[in-house]
Amino acid sequence: MTDTQSSNRPDSSVLAEKPLSGVTVVELGHSVAAPYAGLILADLGARVVKVENPGSGDYARGWGPPFWNGAATAFHALNRGKEGVSVDFRDEAEVGALKDFILAEADAVIQNLRPGILDRFGLTAEALRDRKPGLIWCDIGAFGATGPLAAKPGYDPLAQASTGIMSVTGEGGRPPVRVGVSLVDMGSGMWSVIGLLAGLIARRETGEGRVVSTSLYETGLAWMTVPLAGYAASGEVRKPFGSGTAEIVPYQAFETSDGWLMIAAGNDNLFRKLCRALDLPDLAADPDFATNAARVVNRDRLIPRIAAATAGFSVEALGQRLDEAGVPNAPLLDIAQVAGHPQTQALDMVVKSSSDGIGLVGMPLSFDGRRPRARSGAPALGQHNGVLKE
């Protein structure tokens, strides 16, 4: 590297705080998947310009109560750190201004609209990359680009249902349960960001952008990697195990006298330590429980014995005993307990934006001990419309 090249590099403190400084992304998205991708990029220092319709804007603005400063807290959580513009797609001039902005300013576009919507306005990867080959275009679809469900609309719970996630969640013999957070939507946003970052790296060498595609369905299948591998090997259709898992025993929540404690005895040595801590030496010596494979087979005999022992302790007393024995454990906390927990506070994960005062969770990622974080709040509808007219 020459001295000139070295002097042109951003200061290391800037890279730590904003490693994507200088990158501009246009977000043609709503709800969770594309907005979460944009949120990650904004926290990493990219300029993210969110495009909404001028009527009601992103659907997530109405996902409440609770509301904060006129928009649902869900919208604030997913859209802080962005600029916001509104575009009436019935107005050719406004669509033209958006195209011009993308061609002049954008390194990437992220979109999760229904198939075919953007085609009507010439806002497609093919049309824009024909004029700007270096553009990276990220599609986040519902069920994927091909196949019998390609045109079907999708949301997170539909993907959880159709990829088997709900089949292994909850308890056998009871109504289906979805995972309580939008892990498929958010996961799709993460995959989109991973693809976009890979595209940025490749563009340095080739000058060419690319089309990055993912979908809720593909993300759901990816989260089902272990259960699908088990089915491929055995043909067994796994049932849900509540707080537990099919492959490891004991690895679940147990009730105490005043609450629940998650215990993760993930190997044979930890199981022996657990037995000693619970004063159950006969279980540790029983060949039916000596290995994890044996414990999985004999789960229905083992779990009631452990549950009977844990019931005699409080959460705090049992947690302390297991900590001293070296057995991984954690109490089941509600949202208020998590928000106020000293560990949450110590990690400085929740930060108030400079403009709206609501505490929002940052990224679970640090560079050189610094957590990148956009400090501005979520935009009001059309707040930055001027950028399309400059």
Side-chain angles (χ1 to χ4, degrees), residues 131-149:
R131 298 175 63 185
K132 187 174 187 177
L135 183 68
I136 298 168
W137 182 278
C138 300
D139 281 320
I140 305 177
F143 288 90
T146 61
L149 300 180

Side-chain angles (χ1 to χ4, degrees), residues 111-124 139 150-151:
Q111 76 88 21
N112 71 334
L113 304 179
R114 287 186 64 174
I117 288 180
L118 294 176
D119 296 8
R120 306 174 203 167
F121 311 104
L123 283 164
T124 64
D139 281 320

Side-chain angles (χ1 to χ4, degrees), residues 4 7 19 30 35 42 66 76 80-81 117 146 181 212 264 316 321 328 344:
T4 301
S7 64
H30 63 84
H76 287 278
R80 55 180 169 72
I117 288 180
T146 61
V181 295
V212 176
E316 182 177 0
R321 178 176 282 222
T344 304

Side-chain angles (χ1 to χ4, degrees), residues 2-287:
T2 66
D3 291 339
T4 301
Q5 288 174 316
S6 177
S7 64
N8 288 335
R9 293 192 63 184
D11 181 84
S12 60
S13 63
V14 174
L15 288 173
E17 292 287 348
K18 298 182 177 182
L20 291 186
S21 179
V23 174
T24 298
V25 179
V26 172
E27 177 195 305
L28 296 167
H30 63 84
S31 301
V32 179
Y36 190 66
L39 174 68
I40 296 171
L41 295 166
D43 268 1
L44 290 173
R47 179 191 186 190
V48 179
V49 179
K50 180 181 182 67
V51 180
E52 301 177 76
N53 72 71
S56 59
D58 188 329
Y59 303 142
R61 288 186 180 273
W63 286 354
F67 293 95
W68 186 271
N69 289 345
T73 53
F75 180 82
H76 287 278
L78 294 166
N79 292 285
R80 55 180 169 72
K82 304 175 185 178
E83 297 174 38
V85 301
S86 61
V87 173
D88 185 346
F89 282 84
R90 298 169 298 183
D91 187 318
E92 290 186 12
E94 292 191 19
V95 174
L98 175 60
K99 289 180 184 177
D100 290 344
F101 180 83
I102 292 172
L103 293 171
E105 302 287 343
D107 294 282
V109 174
I110 300 173
Q111 76 88 21
N112 71 334
L113 304 179
R114 287 186 64 174
I117 288 180
L118 294 176
D119 296 8
R120 306 174 203 167
F121 311 104
L123 283 164
T124 64
E126 294 75 17
L128 292 170
R129 292 192 63 243
D130 184 59
R131 298 175 63 185
K132 187 174 187 177
L135 183 68
I136 298 168
W137 182 278
C138 300
D139 281 320
I140 305 177
F143 288 90
T146 61
L149 300 180
K152 183 180 176 69
Y155 291 90
D156 182 277
L158 305 185
Q160 288 196 35
S162 61
T163 60
I165 292 174
M166 288 175 65
S167 77
V168 296
T169 303
E171 298 176 327
R174 303 187 70 175
V177 176
R178 68 176 285 272
V179 178
V181 295
S182 297
L183 83 164
V184 177
D185 272 335
M186 296 171 77
S188 298
M190 291 173 66
W191 284 116
S192 184
V193 169
I194 292 169
L196 188 155
L197 295 177
L200 287 175
I201 293 172
R203 193 176 69 178
R204 292 178 181 174
E205 301 297 325
T206 67
E208 292 287 321
R210 62 195 60 213
V211 177
V212 176
S213 299
T214 189
S215 69
L216 307 187
Y217 191 80
E218 290 166 273
T219 298
L221 293 177
W223 294 162
M224 288 292 287
T225 291
V226 171
L228 286 170
Y231 175 74
S234 67
E236 178 187 356
V237 177
R238 297 286 176 81
K239 66 179 182 179
F241 286 99
S243 62
T245 186
E247 298 85 7
I248 309 172
V249 176
Y251 206 79
Q252 66 182 68
F254 289 91
E255 192 169 12
T256 72
S257 62
D258 61 354
W260 292 80
L261 190 74
M262 186 73 191
I263 298 176
N267 58 52
D268 298 338
N269 184 46
L270 288 175
F271 175 69
R272 290 189 289 270
K273 290 182 177 180
L274 173 64
C275 291
R276 288 195 292 270
L278 295 177
D279 298 323
L280 297 172
D282 58 314
L283 294 186
D286 191 328

Side-chain angles (χ1 to χ4, degrees), residues 280-361:
L280 297 172
D282 58 314
L283 294 186
D286 191 328
D288 285 349
F289 307 132
T291 66
N292 182 70
R295 293 192 294 276
V296 168
V297 171
N298 296 296
R299 177 196 307 262
D300 292 343
R301 290 173 46 214
L302 175 62
I303 295 303
R305 293 285 307 279
I306 297 175
T310 63
F313 295 88
S314 67
V315 167
E316 182 177 0
L318 182 56
Q320 183 176 348
R321 178 176 282 222
L322 295 182
D323 285 344
E324 293 170 353
V327 178
N329 69 93
L332 273 66
L333 305 180
D334 63 25
I335 294 174
Q337 291 171 316
V338 171
H341 198 285
Q343 187 64 23
T344 304
Q345 305 301 322
L347 291 171
D348 198 26
M349 279 285 286
V350 179
V351 177
K352 291 185 178 180
S353 298
S354 59
S355 59
D356 57 23
I358 184 173
L360 300 172
V361 175

